[in-house]
Amino acid sequence: MNMRVLCFRSLVFIQLLLLVFSQDNPPGFISIDCGIPSNSTNVDEDTKLTYVSDDQFIDTGVNYKIAPDYVTDGLSTKYLTVRSFPNGTRNCYALTSLSAGSKYLVRAAFMYGNYDNKNNPPNFDIHLGVNYWGTVDIPGPDGAYFSEIIATTTSDYLQVCLVKKDRGTPFISALELRPLLTTLYKDDANAAQSLVCSYRGNTGASSQLRYPDDPYDRIWMDYTLNTWTDISTTSTFDPDTDFGIPSIVMQTAAATLSVQQSLELSWPPANNNKSTVFLVILHIGEVQDISSDDLRQFDIFWNGIAYASYTSVVPYKLYPGWFSYRSTDHDEHNVSLRATSNSTLPPLLNAFELYVITPTTGIPTYSGDVAAMNKIKTNYQVNKGWSGDPCVPTELSWSGVTCTFDSSNIPRITSLNLSSCGLTGAIVSSFGNLSTLDSLDLSYNDLSGKLPTFLDQLSALTYLDITGNSNISTTLPPGLQQRKQDGNLMYRFGGASRYSRPSNNKTKILIAVIIPVVCVGVLLLLACLIKSSGFRRLANGEEIRNKNSADLEDSNGNIVQIDSQHFTYKDLQKITNNFEKSIGKGGFGTVYHGQLYSGTQVAVKLLDNSSRQGTREFLAEVRHLSRIHHRNLVPLIGYCKDGLGCMALVYEYMSGGSLRTYLTDKDRNARVLSWEERLRILLDAAQGLLYLHRECDPPIIHRDVKTENILLNHMLEAKIADFGLSKAFRDNCTHMSTTVAGTPGYLDPEYNSSSQLTEKSDVYSFGVVLLEVVTAKPPIIDGRNKIRLTRWVHQQLTKGSMDDVVDMRILGRYDINSAWKVVQLAMSCCSETSAQRPVMSHLVSELKDCLELVHGTSSVMDSVRSSSSRRIALEVAKNGESLLPDGPSVR
Ligand SMILES: *[C@@H]1O[C@H](CO)[C@@H](O)[C@H](O)[C@H]1NC(C)=O
Ligand SMILES: *[C@@H]1O[C@H](CO)[C@@H](O)[C@H](O)[C@H]1NC(C)=O
Ligand SMILES: *[C@@H]1O[C@H](CO)[C@@H](O)[C@H](O)[C@H]1NC(C)=O
Ligand SMILES: *[C@@H]1O[C@H](CO)[C@@H](O)[C@H](O)[C@H]1NC(C)=O
Ligand SMILES: *[C@@H]1O[C@H](CO)[C@@H](O)[C@H](O)[C@H]1NC(C)=O
Ligand SMILES: *[C@@H]1O[C@H](CO)[C@@H](O)[C@H](O)[C@H]1NC(C)=O
Ligand SMILES: *[C@@H]1O[C@H](CO)[C@@H](O)[C@H](O)[C@H]1NC(C)=O
Ligand SMILES: *[C@@H]1O[C@H](CO)[C@@H](O)[C@H](O)[C@H]1NC(C)=O
C-alpha cells in the first residue's frame, strides 16, 4: 500500500441525490460551507447535516463559485463555492463557543475547480491556532481534497488559518468541527500533540462511511486489495471505548487468500521526511464463526520486527481489539500480519488508522492582549491584514505589533504602531488593557477627545506618540504625566495632520455563473493531501527574566542589588486578593495563589514567624536565589520585605500542581501520567537537582526532595521548588526535624548517625521519588504496620513481578525494560551508605537512556506499551472466559 497511490486510487462513487432531508445537527457539530451567501444554509446530501455560511466565522476573503466545467452532478454542494484570500499572508476562521480542554476533530475541505479562472492550483499551509497543521498542495482543478486533525483545545475557541506559500491564492471549500470524547485517542491526542490523519481505511467495506454511521463523522475509506478477500458479519460488535470505532466498521474485514500469505500494509515517510512520526492503529476482531478444529492466530511484524514473540494474536469474536504502534526513521514503513504455524485460517484486519503525530509547541499570546487587540481592530476597522494570533508564529505576527515573552514564556505585546492607520474617534479603553506596552505610536490619525486616564494603566510605557491628530487634547493623564516628569516617558504630540479620510468606494466583485445541470453520476476523488509534519518552534525557548532590578538598602545601610522584583505587603494583598486562595502549606509557610498586574500567575510564599530571620540574611538569600535560573527550577520572580514585618517570596505559578497529586488515589480528577510522561518528569527533576549540586556556587543541597516539591507546569514540565530555603531559614526554625532536615520517608538514614546532610542525601530522597513515581505509593505505606516504600518494593519483587510493583493505572501500558532500570536506579539511590549511591549526573544520563528505550530506537516497545493489555484480553478471550471491554484487570 503505497500511500500516494492509495490516496488517489480511492475513487468514491457518489449516489445520485434523491431527496434531501434536513435534520437537526448533533450538538457541538459545526459545519461550514465556505463561500455561500451570508446567512444562507445548505443541507449535505450524504450526511443530511446542515451547513451554514462562513460569514459569521471570518471577516476577510472573497466568495467565488467554481468554474462550470468542474460542476458535475452529484458533486456535493459544499464544493460548489469557495472563499479565497488574495490579501494578507494569514487568514483565519474562528470557531467559538467550544470548551477548553476538549477534544475535537477538525476537517478542512478544498476543491479548486478553477474558480479564479487562472488555472493555477495553489499550495498553502494550514495552521490550527498557532500550530502548524499541514501543507495543502492542490494538484489540479478537479477533485475534492480534505485534511483532518484531532486536537485538544486550550481555550474556548479554535482558529483555522490559511497561510500563503509560494504558489497561487489560498482558498477553502468547507470546514467541519466535530466534538470527540476526551477519552478517545487518549494516549496520543492531548495538549502536547495532535494527530493529523494520513489515512483511515475500512477494510472489506464496499463504500466510504461517515456520519451518521460514525457518530463522530470520521471518514472511513473503503480499502481493499485483490490479494485480499472480504469477510463480514451482520452481528454487532461490542462498543469500543478507546477509539469509539463504530460496529459497522468492525463488521467488515479483510483476510488474505491463504494461510501462508501475510497481510501487508506499507507507506513511505510523509513529505519524504524520515523524521515524521506515524501512529498506526490496527483494529482487529473476529467476524466469523470459528469451528473448534480451526484456529486464527497470527503475529504482527513492524518494519520487519516481531511485535512480541511470546504470544500471538487470536482475535476475539465481535470484540474490538486494537494494536497501536509509533514509527519513525524508516525509508518505508510496513506492517505485516503473518499466521503462526498452528493457525488454520489467514490473518485478518477490520480497519486501520494512520496518523502523523504533530507536536503542538506554540503558545498563544496572553488572552488579555488578544482580546484588547481584537477590540482595537474592530473598533477602528484597522485594515492591516491582522488575523490569527498577534504574536505567534513570529514570522506571521501582526504588522505594527512587537512582542516579547514573559517569565512563563507567554507572548506579550510590548509595542504597537498604528501610525497613519486612519483611526477616528476617541481612544478606546482596550489600549489600557495592553498592560505590558512599552511603546504606543498613534501618530497621524484623526483621533479626538482627551487622553483618558486608563492610559495610566500602561505602567511600562516609555514612548507615546500622538503627533498629527489635530483634534485631540494633548494633556497627559496624571500617571503618565508623572512618568514623563520622572524621565521615564518620551511623549510626542502636536504637528499637523497628515491624515486624509480613506475613500469608501469599495470594489464589489460580482460573479454570475450559470451552472449547467447534467444528470449523471460523478466520480469524486477524495484524498488526503496533507504533507506533514515539520513544526515550528515558538521561540528559542529562552526564558526572559524580569529585568525589574531593585536597589535596596539592607539593615546596615549597604546597597543590595537584587535582580528580582520587590513587592510590599500591600502589593501582595492585591496580587493574592487578600490572601484568598491558599494553594499549599510548605515547610516555611503558607503558599497563596496570585496574579500580577501583567496577568502572570504567581505563587506567593508567606513565611511563618518561625522561619523568619534577620533582614540581612533574608536579602542575602533572595539575592542568591534570584540569580539561579534553570529550566527545571521554579523561578523566583520577586520578594517582599518591608518595615511591616512582611517576609515573602513570589514564585512563578505552576498550574500543573505537584507531582504528588498525580500519584495519590485521593485526587480522582488528576489525569493518569503515562509511563513516558513519568520518565520525562523524573528526568526534568534530576536535571534540576544536578544544576543545584553542580552549577550553583556554592552548591545547593536541597534537603527536602520529595514529590510535593516537584511542580509541573501546564506542559507537564517539572521544576523543583523550595530549593535553597532550608539553608537560609534553618537557624530560627523551630520545626527543624521535619521541615529542614527532610520529610519522613525521604530522609537519608546516614543523617541519623552523622547529622550531616550532603548531596547524597538528596540522591537518597530522589530514589524514593523514583519509586513513588513507578508505584504511585507513598514513601511510607500505612498498612497493618508501617513499611518503607523501598522495603515494600523489594518484598514485592522477590515474590512477584514488575506488574506487582507498577502503578495499577498504567499496567499493560508501560515499558518493562525502562521500568526495571528505574527501580534498580532507585534501589542504588537508597543504599544505606552514601558512598554506594550514584551522583545526579549518573541519574540524568540513565533516565535519558530510559526515555530512549521507550520511544527512540526501540519502537517495538512502544507498541507493547500501549497495547499489551488489549492483547492479553484477546488471549484470555480465546480461552473462553467472558470479558467485558475495559473490565477488571485480566491478570
Ligand atoms: C445576516 O444575519 C444577521 C443577523 O441576523 C443580520 O444582521 C445581517 O444583516 C444578515 N445579513 C444578510 C446579508 O442578510
Ligand atoms: C485586497 O486589497 C486590495 C488593495 O489593498 C483592496 O482593493 C481589496 O479590496 C482587498 N480585498 C479584500 C477582499 O479585502
Ligand atoms: C519492511 O520494513 C523493513 C524495515 O524497514 C524492511 O527490512 C522490509 O524489507 C520491509 N518489508 C517489506 C515487505 O516491505
Ligand atoms: C502449536 O501448538 C502446539 C500444541 O498445542 C504448541 O505446543 C505450540 O506451542 C504451538 N505453537 C505456536 C507457535 O503457538
Ligand atoms: C480590559 O480590562 C477590564 C478590566 O481590567 C476588563 O473588564 C475588560 O473586559 C478588558 N477589555 C478587553 C477588551 O480585554
Ligand atoms: C511607526 O511606523 C511608521 C511608519 O510605518 C514609522 O515612521 C514610525 O517610526 C513607527 N514608529 C515607531 C515608534 O517605531
Ligand atoms: C473635535 O472633536 C470634538 C469632540 O471631541 C467634536 O465635537 C468636533 O467636531 C471635532 N472637530 C473637528 C474639526 O473634527
Ligand atoms: C522533518 O520532520 C521533523 C519532525 O517532524 C522536523 O523537525 C524537520 O524539520 C523536518 N525536516 C524537513 C526537511 O522538513
Side-chain angles (χ1 to χ4, degrees):
M1 174 181 91
N2 180 297
M3 272 320 289
R4 214 158 292 142
V5 173
L6 181 145
C7 283
F8 290 91
R9 257 182 18 179
S10 312
L11 301 174
V12 178
F13 187 74
I14 304 277
Q15 299 287 318
L16 287 180
L17 64 126
L18 299 172
L19 256 181
V20 173
F21 297 103
S22 169
Q23 61 178 28
D24 283 345
N25 288 1
F29 273 39
I30 298 177
S31 307
I32 302 170
D33 186 348
C34 306
I36 61 173
S38 180
N39 296 352
S40 61
T41 61
N42 273 329
V43 176
D44 183 69
E45 303 79 5
D46 253 357
T47 58
K48 311 286 182 285
L49 294 170
T50 303
Y51 282 67
V52 300
S53 155
D54 56 354
D55 215 46
Q56 50 176 310
F57 302 97
I58 194 159
D59 52 15
T60 54
V62 196
N63 292 352
Y64 285 96
K65 291 178 176 165
I66 62 167
D69 293 358
Y70 300 101
V71 180
T72 35
D73 194 38
L75 178 66
S76 174
T77 345
K78 57 180 177 281
Y79 294 117
L80 299 181
T81 55
V82 303
R83 189 179 280 247
S84 151
F85 302 95
N87 289 359
T89 314
R90 171 174 59 175
N91 286 273
C92 300
Y93 280 83
L95 307 175
T96 52
S97 307
L98 310 182
S99 49
S102 299
K103 203 170 279 183
Y104 294 95
L105 178 144
V106 184
R107 183 165 42 228
F110 312 91
M111 174 159 172
Y112 174 56
N114 197 20
Y115 73 85
D116 55 0
N117 213 13
K118 288 180 181 159
N119 267 317
N120 183 19
N123 67 358
F124 50 92
D125 285 343
I126 42 179
H127 290 194
L128 191 65
V130 295
N131 288 293
Y132 175 76
W133 166 351
T135 299
V136 177
D137 194 346
I138 306 284
D142 51 0
Y145 304 89
F146 65 82
S147 177
E148 253 182 31
I149 189 168
I150 295 176
T152 306
T153 49
T154 51
S155 59
D156 61 355
Y157 67 95
L158 263 182
Q159 288 190 317
V160 176
C161 304
L162 288 84
V163 183
K164 223 175 227 155
K165 254 185 115 109
D166 42 30
R167 198 182 73 223
T169 307
F171 73 93
I172 184 166
S173 306
L175 187 59
E176 297 159 344
L177 173 136
R178 315 292 183 225
L180 292 178
L181 291 177
T182 45
T183 49
L184 303 182
Y185 300 92
K186 70 169 179 289
D187 289 341
D188 301 291
N190 50 46
Q193 60 187 42
S194 304
L195 300 176
V196 174
C197 183
S198 275
Y199 202 82
R200 187 180 293 115
N202 184 9
T203 48
S206 55
S207 63
Q208 181 206 146
L209 267 180
R210 62 183 292 182
Y211 185 84
D213 290 316
D214 185 332
Y216 303 106
D217 194 21
R218 286 166 293 192
I219 295 179
W220 296 87
M221 312 290 273
D222 48 307
Y223 184 78
T224 192
L225 294 177
N226 53 17
T227 52
W228 293 356
T229 173
D230 297 345
I231 52 178
S232 63
T233 176
T234 49
S235 309
T236 313
F237 264 74
D238 284 350
D240 170 34
T241 50
D242 294 317
F243 301 98
I245 186 168
S247 174
I248 190 167
V249 171
M250 291 302 291
Q251 280 169 244
T252 57
T256 50
L257 296 172
S258 70
V259 188
Q260 290 78 27
Q261 190 196 336
S262 59
L263 194 150
E264 309 268 351
L265 298 173
S266 68
W267 62 95
N271 217 7
N272 284 329
N273 183 345
K274 279 174 63 176
S275 312
T276 328
V277 186
F278 281 106
L279 169 73
V280 191
I281 306 163
L282 306 179
H283 298 279
I284 294 172
E286 185 58 75
V287 295
Q288 291 183 324
D289 287 321
I290 309 286
S291 78
S292 56
D293 298 336
D294 274 329
L295 173 67
R296 190 192 307 279
Q297 189 187 47
F298 51 89
D299 293 315
I300 301 177
F301 291 81
W302 313 99
N303 293 322
I305 303 165
Y307 143 96
S309 50
Y310 48 93
T311 46
S312 301
V313 180
V314 177
Y316 181 45
K317 183 83 189 293
L318 301 178
Y319 178 75
W322 56 268
F323 297 82
S324 80
Y325 170 61
R326 290 176 200 210
S327 177
T328 185
D329 283 336
H330 284 279
D331 291 326
E332 191 183 50
H333 300 267
N334 60 42
V335 170
S336 172
L337 278 53
R338 297 179 208 161
T340 63
S341 52
N342 286 354
S343 185
T344 59
L345 295 168
L348 112 174
L349 180 65
N350 307 56
F352 61 94
E353 295 174 77
L354 189 57
Y355 294 96
V356 171
I357 296 183
T358 311
T360 51
T361 44
I363 302 174
T365 304
Y366 173 64
S367 59
D369 286 359
V370 174
M373 287 304 294
N374 281 325
K375 271 266 169 62
I376 291 169
K377 175 183 149 189
T378 43
N379 183 78
Y380 298 107
Q381 302 196 332
V382 178
N383 186 12
K384 285 170 89 76
W386 286 354
S387 191
D389 190 278
C391 303
V392 190
T394 327
E395 66 272 20
L396 295 176
S397 67
W398 291 5
S399 71
V401 171
T402 318
C403 311
T404 69
F405 300 90
D406 72 4
S407 58
S408 16
N409 243 349
I410 294 172
R412 299 295 312 257
I413 293 170
T414 50
S415 111
L416 179 57
N417 188 347
L418 287 169
S419 178
S420 308
C421 284
L423 314 189
T424 59
I427 292 179
V428 290
S429 66
S430 301
F431 282 107
N433 288 39
L434 296 169
S435 54
T436 50
L437 212 56
D438 163 71
S439 160
L440 177 60
D441 189 343
L442 297 172
S443 59
Y444 302 106
N445 287 299
D446 196 14
L447 293 166
S448 54
K450 291 201 294 197
L451 289 176
T453 48
F454 52 68
L455 291 179
D456 280 347
Q457 294 165 20
L458 304 178
S459 57
L461 201 67
T462 59
Y463 182 88
L464 176 64
D465 193 347
I466 56 159
T467 345
N469 290 275
S470 53
N471 194 16
I472 199 165
S473 150
T474 56
T475 315
L476 284 173
L480 291 182
Q481 182 60 32
Q482 189 62 46
R483 286 186 64 75
K484 182 167 171 272
Q485 273 166 18
D486 294 346
N488 291 329
L489 176 68
M490 177 164 197
Y491 178 44
R492 298 211 153 128
F493 58 96
S497 176
R498 275 203 322 238
Y499 171 74
S500 65
R501 219 166 274 277
S503 62
N504 219 8
N505 45 355
K506 286 187 187 155
T507 1
K508 293 235 160 64
I509 302 163
L510 288 174
I511 297 183
V513 180
I514 295 153
I515 307 164
V517 180
V518 187
C519 286
V520 287
V522 68
L523 290 177
L524 171 63
L525 181 69
L526 284 168
C528 335
L529 72 164
I530 221 60
K531 286 186 179 172
S532 271
S533 156
F535 62 95
R536 273 153 218 199
R537 286 210 140 258
L538 158 76
N540 48 15
E542 267 179 57
E543 285 193 355
I544 310 270
R545 278 195 289 120
N546 202 321
K547 279 276 142 55
N548 222 350
S549 330
D551 286 337
L552 286 184
E553 269 180 44
D554 71 10
S555 51
N556 295 339
N558 302 323
I559 298 287
V560 189
Q561 233 270 316
I562 294 183
D563 197 10
S564 66
Q565 215 165 323
H566 178 224
F567 297 93
T568 62
Y569 187 74
K570 274 226 170 92
D571 291 336
L572 293 188
Q573 274 182 316
K574 229 193 263 158
I575 289 169
T576 59
N577 203 6
N578 212 6
F579 304 101
E580 181 184 59
K581 190 170 153 205
S582 150
I583 50 174
K585 185 140 177 55
F588 307 98
T590 310
V591 186
Y592 298 92
H593 177 259
Q595 187 166 11
L596 297 187
Y597 192 72
S598 65
T600 308
Q601 300 197 63
V602 293
V604 175
K605 176 169 265 208
L606 203 57
L607 299 184
D608 286 340
N609 282 328
S610 56
S611 326
R612 296 232 181 122
Q613 57 179 0
T615 308
R616 192 184 166 148
E617 291 81 358
F618 178 79
L619 290 179
E621 250 352 277
V622 167
R623 182 171 50 169
H624 183 54
L625 294 181
S626 68
R627 288 186 180 156
I628 299 175
H629 294 281
H630 184 267
R631 204 167 61 80
N632 301 119
L633 299 174
V634 179
L636 181 68
I637 292 176
Y639 65 98
C640 166
K641 176 77 200 83
D642 63 16
L644 301 171
C646 163
M647 246 187 230
L649 296 168
V650 180
Y651 289 100
E652 187 177 305
Y653 175 65
M654 303 287 287
S655 60
S658 86
L659 175 55
R660 184 72 221 148
T661 55
Y662 292 81
L663 299 174
T664 47
D665 292 337
K666 273 185 239 144
D667 195 350
R668 302 220 112 242
N669 292 329
R671 57 174 287 209
V672 177
L673 298 171
S674 73
W675 178 238
E676 189 175 336
E677 283 166 344
R678 289 174 204 231
L679 285 176
R680 272 188 203 292
I681 289 167
L682 288 173
L683 176 60
D684 283 347
Q687 282 168 339
L689 285 174
L690 174 63
Y691 184 86
L692 292 176
H693 290 177
R694 285 297 140 84
E695 306 292 329
C696 291
D697 184 25
I700 293 181
I701 298 161
H702 190 293
R703 294 160 195 254
D704 200 11
V705 174
K706 54 181 174 181
T707 44
E708 278 102 326
N709 275 340
I710 297 173
L711 305 184
L712 306 178
N713 66 11
H714 67 292
M715 307 275 292
L716 289 182
E717 287 163 345
K719 301 185 193 226
I720 304 266
D722 264 10
F723 55 90
L725 294 193
S726 27
K727 177 176 170 289
F729 309 118
R730 175 178 34 185
D731 302 341
N732 300 349
C733 186
T734 51
H735 313 291
M736 203 167 125
S737 56
T738 55
T739 60
V740 176
T743 304
Y746 293 94
L747 188 54
D748 176 5
E750 217 181 51
Y751 172 74
N752 288 334
S753 48
S754 69
S755 301
Q756 184 130 30
L757 285 168
T758 66
E759 63 172 53
K760 289 291 184 74
S761 312
D762 282 354
V763 171
Y764 181 91
S765 312
F766 189 69
V768 180
V769 168
L770 290 175
L771 290 181
E772 264 188 274
V773 168
V774 173
T775 61
K777 298 238 180 296
I780 294 178
I781 300 173
D782 257 335
R784 261 163 298 160
N785 32 28
K786 290 191 176 184
I787 168 171
R788 277 172 178 278
L789 182 55
T790 42
R791 230 185 118 74
W792 181 84
V793 168
H794 191 76
Q795 283 175 358
Q796 295 294 310
L797 286 179
T798 44
K799 63 174 198 231
S801 73
M802 202 61 196
D803 275 3
D804 301 312
V805 170
V806 170
D807 184 357
M808 292 266 291
R809 298 173 297 177
I810 55 164
L811 276 189
R813 286 164 182 270
Y814 71 95
D815 163 41
I816 187 145
N817 292 345
S818 50
W820 263 114
K821 204 162 172 162
V822 171
V823 169
Q824 278 165 355
L825 276 179
M827 290 308 191
S828 67
C829 292
C830 296
S831 302
E832 290 289 314
T833 48
S834 58
Q836 287 170 338
R837 298 176 202 151
V839 289
M840 283 318 298
S841 55
H842 177 74
L843 289 166
V844 166
S845 81
E846 290 291 299
L847 285 169
K848 278 185 182 157
D849 287 353
C850 286
L851 258 174
E852 229 143 65
L853 269 184
V854 169
H855 72 99
T857 44
S858 60
S859 34
V860 172
M861 289 318 300
D862 229 19
S863 61
V864 175
R865 177 171 78 97
S866 48
S867 49
S868 63
S869 66
R870 206 35 100 76
R871 146 185 223 95
I872 289 154
L874 291 166
E875 253 183 343
V876 171
K878 166 67 175 46
N879 296 337
E881 289 169 36
S882 88
L883 186 77
L884 295 170
D886 281 338
S889 171
V890 288
R891 284 216 164 178

